């Protein structure tokens, strides 16, 4: 059903409705199409007028759809009118309508009405990210930075994760302001990026650079660079933080992970205690390993090839250094099949130790246990981000240490373009000796960034950095 291009009279709407297969849902379907086609607002309005005359009122869900179209087009007076109607007719709105109204009203001169609605939402539930961010952007836009940061901090306190877009807007709207409190808040955002291992994309990085350079009397200068393998910044010659944990940090982390994550409640959901005990015995008798490989995960790197060939390439690549390898496999790999050839499996078993778990086992716990028990030098290979396990850790310090350990010990593998035929070439990103997170000494900031925005968390750390120093 295509929406009309111009407003219709009552009889014309009736005719369209009668010709429609399911007349009872005609208005909803028509409004959905109008939203998709971004129809002129007066066409939608003529449908609502017709409905009101025919039924005496307009159903809640139909009003919400009309509101969606108004917000989509920034129809200021219409958003106000719908809000007035809804306020009178319905005591409480559901979260979808609140979200639309807050988004629509926050773009108007009377943006404070959006704040009033946000307070209403708080009485019922935790407001969504969109609700908070609409209000934050409205406050920032009107230079009410103190209010914007209050909302941002409230959002974090309620575990509502901000988008990079809103974090960037803080730097954009604060440009050129001399305000010590504001600076402290913006430094706080940079520390939030550090704490959560978030890498800004290039446009966000440029906003940060411009903000620093715009601080009146601040004398900050930013330059783009790449850090040397030694961890030294070529711009300011500053040595970046070491990615290694101290002995004390390592033993604390190791104990915590083994206690809270591995022996905690989540491990045995897909692994029997007997199997895990057998694995522990297997590991203890063969310690230490240099590299532990999540075999199943690595075997899926290149989809058009046999899984065992993918894994063989990774094993060959890592065995070159005479490293002691442990590959975590699954029992189905031992069945001769189209993906798992017996002779290739035998070849790999000559180069690495293998532990074959049940096919339903959860192997992250095996991976963490074997790596941590092998000692500080041991690295691991998986394309997983291990986010669930970070969540099981009880406090922010341990979570920070886990992420730092992970950044220094996870080897990232991805297929390179060259490997169209056997053998597959991997681009292997080694674990760095310096820590790839936002860091500061007070008069310098080093910020790793990516070329483009990535919605998905990535285990691959950036090679590009912004060095900012105070002259």
């Amino acid at each position: 059903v295509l929406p009309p291009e111009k407003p219709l009279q009552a009889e014309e709407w009736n005719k369209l409705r009668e010709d429609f297969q399911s007349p009872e849902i005609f208005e909803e379907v028509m409004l959905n199409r109008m939203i998709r086609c971004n129809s002129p607002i007066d066409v939608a309005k003529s449908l609502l007028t017709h409905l009101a005359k025919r039924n005496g009122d307009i159903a809640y869900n139909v009003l919400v759809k009309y509101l969606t179209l108004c917000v989509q087009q920034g129809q200021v007076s219409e958003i106000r009118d719908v809000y007035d109607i809804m306020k009178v007719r319905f005591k409480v709105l559901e979260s979808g309508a609140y979200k639309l109204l807050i988004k629509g009203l926050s773009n108007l001169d009377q943006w404070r009405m959006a704040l009033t609605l946000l307070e209403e939402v708080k009485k019922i539930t935790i407001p969504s990210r969109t609700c908070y961010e609409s209000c934050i952007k409205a406050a920032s836009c009107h230079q009410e930075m103190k209010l914007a940061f209050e909302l941002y901090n409230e959002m974090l306190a309620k575990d509502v994760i901000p988008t990079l877009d809103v974090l960037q807007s803080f730097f954009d709207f604060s440009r050129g302001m001399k305000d010590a409190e504001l600076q402290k808040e913006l430094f706080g955002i940079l520390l939030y990026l550090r704490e959560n291992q978030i890498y800004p994309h290039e446009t966000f990085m440029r906003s940060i650079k411009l903000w620093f350079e715009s601080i009146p009397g601040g004398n900050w200068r930013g330059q783009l660079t790449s850090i040397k393998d030694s961890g030294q910044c070529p711009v300011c010659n500053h040595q970046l933080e070491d990615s290694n944990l101290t002995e004390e940090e390592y033993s604390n982390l190791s104990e915590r992970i083994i206690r809270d994550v591995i022996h905690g409640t989540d491990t045995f959901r897909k692994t029997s205690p007997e199997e895990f005990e057998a694995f522990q015995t297997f590991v203890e008798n063969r310690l230490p390993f240099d590299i532990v490989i999540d075999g199943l995960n690595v075997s899926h790197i290149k989809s058009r090839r046999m899984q065992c060939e993918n894994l063989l390439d990774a094993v060959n690549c890592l065995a070159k250094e005479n490293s002691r390898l442990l590959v975590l496999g699954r029992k189905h790999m031992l069945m001769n099949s189209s993906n798992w050839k017996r002779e290739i499996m035998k070849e790999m078993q000559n180069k690495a130790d293998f532990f074959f778990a049940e096919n339903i086992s959860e192997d992250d716990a095996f991976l963490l246990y074997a790596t941590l028990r092998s000692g500080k030098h041991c690295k691991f290979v998986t394309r997983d981000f291990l986010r669930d396990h970070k969540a099981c850790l009880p406090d922010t310090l341990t979570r920070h240490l886990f992420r730092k350990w992970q950044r220094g010990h996870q080897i990232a593998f991805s297929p390179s373009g060259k490997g169209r035929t056997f053998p597959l070439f991997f681009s292997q990103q080694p674990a760095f000796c310096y820590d790839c997170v936002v860091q500061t000494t007070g008069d310098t900031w080093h910020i790793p960034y990516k070329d483009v925005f990535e919605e998905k968390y990535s285990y691959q750390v950036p090679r590009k950095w912004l060095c900012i120093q105070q002259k």
Side-chain angles (χ1 to χ4, degrees):
V1 54
L2 278 173
E5 288 173 18
K6 57 183 197 329
L8 301 184
Q9 297 301 320
E11 55 274 15
E12 293 171 300
W13 280 121
N14 282 334
K15 175 81 175 75
L16 278 178
R17 190 172 190 269
E18 283 160 20
D19 294 344
F20 189 63
Q21 283 176 334
S22 314
E24 68 284 358
I25 56 163
F26 169 74
E27 285 79 15
E28 282 192 51
V29 173
M30 179 56 78
L31 280 161
N32 282 337
R33 292 300 301 174
M34 286 180 183
I35 293 164
R36 200 169 302 167
C37 301
N38 204 20
S39 295
I41 209 76
D42 56 352
V43 177
K45 207 171 178 181
S46 81
L47 175 60
L48 257 65
T49 308
H50 163 63
L51 256 178
K53 283 179 182 166
R54 195 188 71 208
N55 299 346
D57 68 355
I58 299 165
Y60 179 85
N61 54 345
V62 172
L63 266 177
V64 170
K65 287 185 194 304
Y66 177 65
L67 180 61
T68 306
L69 188 64
C70 296
V71 171
Q72 191 171 292
Q73 297 182 7
Q75 299 280 350
V76 177
S77 59
E78 290 301 313
I79 295 168
R80 286 293 312 271
D81 289 350
V82 176
Y83 175 46
D84 291 340
I85 293 167
M86 289 181 126
K87 210 166 47 175
V88 173
R89 284 202 36 214
F90 311 104
K91 275 204 177 82
V92 177
L93 312 179
E94 44 74 55
S95 58
Y98 275 122
K99 193 153 100 178
L100 281 168
L101 285 166
I102 289 171
K103 193 176 173 187
L105 293 169
S106 62
N107 292 326
L108 311 183
D109 289 339
Q110 304 98 321
W111 59 277
R112 288 185 185 277
M113 288 172 65
L115 296 176
T116 310
L117 283 181
L118 187 70
E119 291 306 315
E120 274 184 41
V121 177
K122 284 184 209 169
K123 290 173 191 165
I124 312 160
T125 182
I126 293 174
S128 71
R129 175 159 79 182
T130 311
C131 290
Y132 269 119
E133 296 198 344
S134 298
C135 292
I136 287 171
K137 281 189 175 173
S140 305
C141 210
H142 292 85
Q143 299 290 288
E144 297 247 7
M145 299 312 295
K146 191 168 183 287
L147 172 60
F149 272 109
E150 276 171 18
L151 291 167
Y152 163 71
N153 289 318
E154 185 182 295
M155 188 178 175
L156 291 186
K158 291 183 176 171
D159 286 329
V160 182
I161 310 292
T163 59
L164 291 194
D165 182 45
V166 85
L167 296 181
Q168 183 183 336
S169 74
F170 278 115
F171 289 91
D172 289 335
F173 286 118
S174 304
R175 217 172 282 169
M177 290 188 190
K178 189 169 186 173
D179 179 339
E181 203 50 46
L182 181 65
Q183 266 185 51
K184 204 170 134 193
E185 290 283 12
L186 288 156
F187 288 158
I189 291 181
L190 295 175
L191 296 174
Y192 173 82
L193 298 181
R194 171 191 169 89
E195 193 55 49
N196 292 282
Q197 193 183 333
I198 295 168
Y199 303 120
H201 47 80
E202 191 171 349
T203 49
F204 184 4
M205 175 276 295
R206 291 200 180 276
S207 291
I208 295 169
K209 180 177 181 290
L210 287 170
W211 171 72
F212 267 103
E213 292 174 343
S214 78
I215 299 170
N219 294 327
W220 291 96
R221 282 289 160 268
Q223 265 181 277
L224 309 188
T225 186
S226 297
I227 302 297
K228 294 175 185 172
D229 289 343
S230 63
Q232 191 184 42
C233 170
V235 177
C236 64
N237 296 322
H238 180 74
Q239 186 69 29
L240 262 57
E241 290 172 36
D242 194 334
S243 65
N244 284 322
L245 306 185
T246 64
E247 291 296 339
E248 190 184 352
E249 285 174 335
Y250 182 78
S251 71
N252 282 346
L253 178 70
S254 186
E255 267 172 43
R256 269 290 172 72
I257 290 182
I258 287 169
R259 190 187 73 203
D260 295 330
V261 177
I262 293 170
H263 291 150
T265 50
D266 80 329
T267 312
F268 299 124
R269 256 186 245 154
K270 296 180 185 169
T271 306
S272 71
E274 295 75 26
E275 181 181 46
F276 198 74
E277 222 166 274
F279 173 68
Q280 284 176 292
T281 308
F282 173 91
V283 167
E284 298 299 327
N285 290 338
R286 289 167 177 77
L287 284 174
F289 297 102
D290 298 314
I291 300 172
V292 182
I293 302 167
D294 181 343
L296 195 61
N297 184 286
V298 170
S299 74
H300 287 291
I301 279 181
K302 196 109 181 189
S303 56
R304 293 191 183 164
R305 299 176 76 244
M306 267 195 281
Q307 288 172 24
C308 59
E309 287 180 349
N310 283 337
L311 185 54
L312 175 66
D313 283 344
V315 167
N316 283 340
C317 184
L318 294 164
K320 280 178 195 159
E321 323 274 303
N322 294 323
S323 299
R324 289 206 59 223
L325 308 182
L326 167 61
V327 180
L328 301 172
R330 293 285 210 284
K331 287 191 173 166
H332 73 258
M333 295 176 177
L334 294 167
M335 320 275 284
N336 202 22
S337 66
S338 59
N339 258 317
W340 298 100
K341 296 290 178 213
R342 193 160 284 148
E343 61 276 14
I344 294 180
M345 290 304 293
K346 276 196 177 137
E347 187 186 335
M348 280 192 274
Q349 283 168 281
N350 291 332
K351 298 175 180 180
D353 280 300
F354 270 75
F355 182 85
F356 296 97
E358 292 294 338
N359 294 326
I360 55 161
S361 296
E362 182 60 77
D363 48 16
D364 282 357
F366 291 75
L367 182 83
L368 288 170
Y369 182 83
T371 309
L372 287 163
R373 286 292 296 125
S374 292
K376 266 175 79 172
H377 74 289
C378 185
K379 307 278 195 281
F380 64 93
V381 183
T382 179
R383 294 187 300 156
D384 279 350
F385 205 66
L386 308 181
R387 293 182 81 180
D388 296 349
H389 301 297
K390 178 186 163 229
C392 295
L393 294 166
D395 60 279
T396 47
L397 177 65
T398 315
R399 286 199 287 270
H400 172 72
L401 289 178
F402 177 69
R403 275 281 174 257
K404 186 172 179 178
W405 172 76
Q406 183 183 2
R407 286 191 295 272
H409 290 77
Q410 184 164 2
I411 296 172
F413 262 111
S414 56
S416 69
K418 295 179 263 184
R420 305 223 174 273
T421 56
F422 193 83
L424 168 65
F425 290 89
F426 285 110
S427 61
Q428 177 191 348
Q429 183 168 331
F432 293 113
C433 70
Y434 57 89
D435 200 5
C436 272
V437 279
V438 171
Q439 38 194 283
T440 181
T441 59
D443 59 357
T444 68
W445 282 86
H446 288 90
I447 298 165
Y449 69 93
K450 299 221 162 180
D451 287 329
V452 289
F453 168 67
E454 285 178 357
E455 180 68 61
K456 200 168 166 284
Y457 249 83
S458 169
Y459 51 81
Q460 291 191 309
V461 293
R463 307 302 302 259
K464 296 180 172 182
W465 288 72
L466 167 65
C467 164
I468 302 171
Q469 51 182 329
Q470 202 166 22
K471 298 287 187 194

